């Protein structure tokens, strides 16, 4: 089996994640291609799409939220993701059991003795009036039945697991602050989530994951989705896939015609948002980030890719984009980071063209 080293895997990841060349595609198509964007920080998907699309207009993504063509919801790994309406309807039922287990992993003691089916019924009955509610409002409505249970545990189980919910705009709109108001997915989209054969859904997830993240091991698929590896789906799809190995000897699966660029393909500087799935979407993240820096993405640090790898973190201070290197930059690398930082500053400020010195690259 062909062995793919970290640099080769990194270039494949950049190509699949639209980070090697900015793509000419609408925001909706990009969200679909990427299998959604992690979105617990409401403004971060805008940064993620700006770094991936050649002519991204943030208002277009806001419009998609208002038009109900994309939604904010708990899905992969029980984290809030921005996904297309079509994908959440197709995928949500396949995630139900995982979402329950993830919430129980945190609140098992608090929820001991709570009949989860009864709790789900109470939540659905409360939300049947079509009124959006905060978690606190929902838990107050059902808490009388479980007076000794911590409200937070009831709310997390209802909103993140038992009743498929969406977070309504203005939450997640460009340059807009808004608290979380929840509404059942079926109410917002006018349709219940699909209940197709879980193996078929798993196969679709596998193909879509490989298109956006491959080549990848089943452990990577599990790390991205939170699902238990989808063994039946992998077995049913294997004949149409190709196999490689990484330098650790793990089997990597891939779509036969998916891009796997030459490892020497130039990789431009890219500024990534917090919790970007280009890093978090793998169990083995060495293709893009050094082990020494692995904790940065989990902690929610925004990072900068230089030559295809995490080489700096970045923040915004008084309208200035500040990049802090994790290694020494060459003069050319420093110039490229500054140039992309200026473009990011212009995007965030809404000012096209010249942005003066609204970027600072710190010394290493």
């Amino acid at each position: 089996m062909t062995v793919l080293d970290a640099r080769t895997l990194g270039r494949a990841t950049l190509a699949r994640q639209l980070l090697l060349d900015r793509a000419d595609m609408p925001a909706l198509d990009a969200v679909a291609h990427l299998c959604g964007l992690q979105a617990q920080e409401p403004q971060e998907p805008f940064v993620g799409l700006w770094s991936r699309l050649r002519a991204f207009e943030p208002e277009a993504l806001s419009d998609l939220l208002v038009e109900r063509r994309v939604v904010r919801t708990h899905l992969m790994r029980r984290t809030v993701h921005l996904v297309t309406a079509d994908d959440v309807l197709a995928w949500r039922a396949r995630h139900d059991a995982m979402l329950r287990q993830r919430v129980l992993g945190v609140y098992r003691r608090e929820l001991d003795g709570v009949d989860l089916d009864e709790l789900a019924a109470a939540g659905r009955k409360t939300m049947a009036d079509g009124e959006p509610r905060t978690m606190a409002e929902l838990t107050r409505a059902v808490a009388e039945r479980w007076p000794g249970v911590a409200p937070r545990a009831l709310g997390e189980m209802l909103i993140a697991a038992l009743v498929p919910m969406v977070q309504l705009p203005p939450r997640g709109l460009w340059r807009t602050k808004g608290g979380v108001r929840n509404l059942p997915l079926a109410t917002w989209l006018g349709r219940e989530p699909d209940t197709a054969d879980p193996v078929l859904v798993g196969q679709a997830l596998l193909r879509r994951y490989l298109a956006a993240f491959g080549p990848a091991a089943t452990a990577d698929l599990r790390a991205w989705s939170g699902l238990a590896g989808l063994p039946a789906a992998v077995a049913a799809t294997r004949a149409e896939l190709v196999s490689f190995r990484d330098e650790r000897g793990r089997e990597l699966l891939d779509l036969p015609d998916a891009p796997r660029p030459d490892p020497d393909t130039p990789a431009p500087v890219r500024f990534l948002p917090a919790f970007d799935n280009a890093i978090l979407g793998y169990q083995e993240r060495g293709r893009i980030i050094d082990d020494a820096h692995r904790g940065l993405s989990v902690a929610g640090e925004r990072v900068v890719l230089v030559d295809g790898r995490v080489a700096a973190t970045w923040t915004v201070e008084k309208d200035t984009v500040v990049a802090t290197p994790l290694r020494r930059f060459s003069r050319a690398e420093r110039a490229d980071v500054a140039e992309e930082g200026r473009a990011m500053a212009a995007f965030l400020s809404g000012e096209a063209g010249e942005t003066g010195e609204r970027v600072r690259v710190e010394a290493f």
Side-chain angles (χ1 to χ4, degrees), residues 57 67 76 98 107 160 166 180 191 201-202 222 244 251 260 264 266 271-272 286 294 297 311 336 344:
E57 296 292 339
E67 295 165 2
M76 284 74 76
M98 177 272 292
Y107 297 106
V166 297
V180 177
R191 181 179 137 198
V201 177
R222 181 168 60 248
F244 304 94
E251 183 187 31
R260 290 179 288 275
D264 292 327
F271 281 63
L272 297 188
R294 183 180 174 120
S297 55
D336 289 344
M344 174 61 77

Side-chain angles (χ1 to χ4, degrees), residues 339-363:
E339 180 181 3
E340 186 73 356
R342 275 189 284 272
M344 174 61 77
F347 169 70
L348 293 175
S349 68
E351 298 179 10
E354 182 61 42
T355 61
E357 293 304 315
R358 290 187 182 171
V359 62
R360 186 169 76 248
V361 182
E362 304 280 23

Side-chain angles (χ1 to χ4, degrees), residues 296-343:
L296 294 173
S297 55
V298 179
E301 294 276 1
R302 291 164 157 178
V303 299
V304 183
L305 301 181
V306 179
D307 191 28
R309 298 191 66 77
V310 172
T313 60
W314 69 281
T315 58
V316 179
E317 299 177 5
K318 297 180 180 179
D319 296 327
T320 296
V321 169
V322 180
T324 303
L326 298 169
R327 62 167 174 80
R328 192 173 303 280
F329 288 164
S330 69
R331 182 175 297 179
E333 288 174 332
R334 193 176 185 85
D336 289 344
V337 170
E339 180 181 3
E340 186 73 356
R342 275 189 284 272

